[in-house]
Amino acid sequence: MFKSKFGSFPKFYVRAPGRVNIIGEHIDYCGYSVLPMAVEQDMLIAVEPVKTYTLHLANTNPLYPDFSTSTTDVQIDKSKPLWHNYFLCGFKGVQEHFGLSNPTGMNCLVDGNVPPSSGLSSSSALVCCAGLVTLTVLGMKLSKAKLIEFNPLRATDVKLPSGAVFVIANSCVEMNKAATSHFNIRVMECRLAAKLLAKHKSLPWDKVLRLEEVQAQLGISLEEMLLVTDATLHPEPYSPEEICRCLGISLEELRTQILSPNTRDVTVFKLYQRAKHVYSEAARVLQFRKVCEDSPEDAVAQLGELMNQSHRSCRDLYECSCPELDQLVDTCRAVKILSQDMSCRQKRMGSRTRPPHEAPTPTGLSGMTSLEITRWASSTSSRSCSSLPARYTRQSRESAQEQTTPIKLFSELSTVQIKCE
């Protein structure tokens, strides 16, 4: 396909995986730590540097049209969530970081099997991939980091219980954050909750943007912040007028100085629920890490319960779940079985012990118990980029994966099973 698009062959390939949060939902932009892991589904870009100053982008998916622009004048239209804008973000980020005025051009063919709008960070994978492409073309390097902790940015490896199996199942429901205001409203609700909490505690509320800042300035624990939230905010939704009264500002000041353009017409804000979710979820992340570090006998059960609590909070307090996902969770929890593989005497999920080569039956999903993954995820799809080398074709990659890692892909069930060593 690259040859048919550009009349030549790619010089190199760049890959960036999607990711799924084990725990730590919607708290990163509030200043708290998250615990993600990469998945096999990825973005893959075939690249050919050219001697012109033109960037040509094509996609193996016909839903995404070709795009070309000058590398010396990259413009990103923020009002339109077009696929190529994510590539331009990665390209322009590297360009600005190194202060480059005339970066070389390139032909790029993008392929990917990270489902869009499914919670697997397909857009982030494309941005990262584009950044790596640009660095490679320019012959430059950039230090790598895992975004796990913030302020300051830190990355810490967390060893999961040996023998535990994570099953990522697809709810087949999409949520396009760029095309709706749901995400932006929740971000603003967290910001408003932080300001009201700060105001109540006589902190400089006008400078507070995130819930973590309130905790840090008060110097108290997450558990104590939950008590402060209960004592300060009420469960009933807040109107813009009530928020103004609490902060002592006018409606015009709220609209122009605090609210974003896409939240100025919102009539109710659920501040209590969002703050409760953020502080409790942040506490669960720390508890999850401690269980992994301490490795008690019932580690799997403890981690599973934390994940169950996380889903309930996402469903009831943050309202970012959906009926299809809730049904998946209910199905996983319907059968309370934690089987034991007698060959290694380690607890793992499943309604029965299954040989590594055997695909699960549909009813096998109900065998997942306390350590189920309750996040949106992806099904596999075949590659359509015929010019890719053999090592990057889906068949060869699955075959290699079967031999070298404990990760299994079952496209007929839209699940991914990840075993921890």
Side-chain angles (χ1 to χ4, degrees):
M1 188 171 178
F2 194 100
K3 179 69 163 59
S4 66
K5 282 285 186 182
F6 304 114
S8 54
F9 293 97
K11 301 301 182 182
F12 64 90
Y13 305 85
V14 171
R15 172 186 178 268
R19 70 175 186 267
V20 65
N21 254 356
I22 299 179
I23 197 168
E25 294 297 313
H26 292 280
I27 62 173
D28 51 347
Y29 48 81
C30 292
Y32 286 108
S33 306
V34 298
L35 210 162
M37 68 178 176
V39 296
E40 188 191 53
Q41 281 71 21
D42 56 22
M43 287 289 176
L44 190 66
I45 302 181
V47 187
E48 178 196 25
V50 295
K51 296 182 179 180
T52 65
Y53 294 109
T54 303
L55 172 63
H56 297 285
L57 300 178
N59 200 300
T60 60
N61 190 330
L63 294 177
Y64 304 118
D66 296 354
F67 175 80
S68 296
T69 188
S70 170
T71 60
T72 62
D73 185 30
V74 174
Q75 300 294 326
I76 301 175
D77 186 353
K78 298 179 181 179
S79 65
K80 298 179 180 179
L82 301 174
W83 79 272
H84 60 257
N85 284 342
Y86 296 103
F87 187 101
L88 295 181
C89 285
F91 178 89
K92 195 168 186 177
V94 172
Q95 181 185 17
E96 293 178 351
H97 180 80
F98 289 101
L100 304 173
S101 56
N102 296 304
T104 185
M106 62 186 87
N107 297 328
C108 298
L109 179 62
V110 178
D111 185 34
N113 60 354
V114 183
S117 307
S118 62
L120 289 182
S121 301
S122 58
S123 57
S124 297
L126 181 53
V127 172
C128 292
C129 219
L132 291 173
V133 164
T134 308
L135 287 168
T136 305
V137 168
L138 299 176
M140 297 180 173
K141 294 183 178 180
L142 193 67
S143 60
K144 300 177 182 179
K146 291 178 289 186
L147 267 66
I148 297 180
E149 295 183 79
F150 308 90
N151 302 315
L153 176 64
R154 292 180 295 179
T156 305
D157 290 332
V158 176
K159 181 176 174 56
L160 298 169
S162 177
V165 176
F166 291 79
V167 177
I168 306 172
N170 188 359
S171 68
C172 300
V173 176
E174 294 187 359
M175 169 54 72
N176 189 341
K177 291 189 292 186
T180 65
S181 60
H182 302 305
F183 176 78
N184 294 314
I185 292 173
R186 282 161 178 74
V187 173
M188 182 54 62
E189 287 171 326
C190 290
R191 179 171 297 183
L192 291 171
K195 289 183 177 297
L196 263 66
L197 289 170
K199 173 77 171 180
H200 180 76
K201 288 296 185 179
S202 302
L203 299 175
W205 65 267
D206 55 324
K207 294 180 172 57
V208 170
L209 297 177
R210 296 175 301 183
L211 288 163
E212 185 275 337
E213 295 173 32
V214 180
Q215 182 201 357
Q217 292 186 36
L218 291 177
I220 61 179
S221 68
L222 288 165
E223 290 72 20
E224 290 172 309
M225 277 308 310
L226 287 168
L227 297 176
V228 171
T229 300
D230 285 331
T232 306
L233 303 177
H234 56 67
E236 297 77 23
Y238 285 74
S239 66
E241 291 76 12
E242 183 178 6
I243 293 173
C244 290
R245 290 195 298 271
C246 292
L247 296 179
I249 60 176
S250 68
L251 191 59
E252 181 64 18
E253 288 174 314
L254 175 66
R255 288 175 53 83
T256 59
Q257 298 178 20
I258 299 178
L259 297 181
S260 58
N262 48 19
T263 60
R264 287 171 185 164
D265 294 328
V266 178
T267 58
V268 293
F269 297 93
K270 297 184 178 182
L271 309 189
Y272 172 82
Q273 290 83 353
R274 309 318 183 214
K276 285 282 284 187
H277 167 76
V278 170
Y279 288 131
S280 62
E281 184 76 349
R284 282 187 289 271
V285 171
L286 299 180
Q287 294 167 19
F288 193 100
R289 176 181 173 181
K290 187 176 188 306
V291 171
C292 291
E293 291 175 343
D294 295 346
S295 298
E297 286 293 326
D298 61 342
V300 171
Q302 288 190 39
L303 298 183
E305 177 53 31
L306 287 171
M307 295 179 71
N308 289 336
Q309 293 173 16
S310 175
H311 178 73
R312 288 194 292 268
S313 184
C314 286
R315 180 193 64 202
D316 301 333
L317 295 177
Y318 217 76
E319 298 178 281
C320 59
S321 186
C322 63
E324 293 82 359
L325 181 58
D326 296 338
Q327 184 178 2
L328 265 179
V329 176
D330 292 340
T331 299
C332 294
R333 299 184 63 194
V335 180
K336 299 290 185 179
I337 298 176
L338 193 62
S339 69
Q340 227 178 17
D341 186 337
M342 303 308 291
S343 63
C344 62
R345 305 297 299 175
Q346 292 177 330
K347 293 182 179 179
R348 62 189 65 190
M349 295 184 300
S351 57
R352 60 189 176 89
T353 302
R354 183 169 54 244
H357 64 276
E358 182 182 345
T361 61
T363 55
L365 288 175
S366 65
M368 294 192 299
T369 54
S370 56
L371 191 58
E372 73 262 19
I373 293 294
T374 58
R375 303 287 174 255
W376 287 284
S378 62
S379 59
T380 61
S381 61
S382 59
R383 297 283 177 168
S384 55
C385 185
S386 58
S387 63
L388 296 179
R391 69 179 181 277
Y392 279 115
T393 62
R394 176 58 52 191
Q395 182 178 3
S396 65
R397 292 169 78 188
E398 286 186 358
S399 299
Q401 196 78 355
E402 182 81 16
Q403 298 298 322
T404 60
T405 77
I407 300 176
K408 301 287 192 301
L409 297 180
F410 303 115
S411 58
E412 69 273 22
L413 291 179
S414 299
T415 65
V416 181
Q417 179 173 303
I418 303 178
K419 171 186 170 185
C420 306
E421 296 293 349

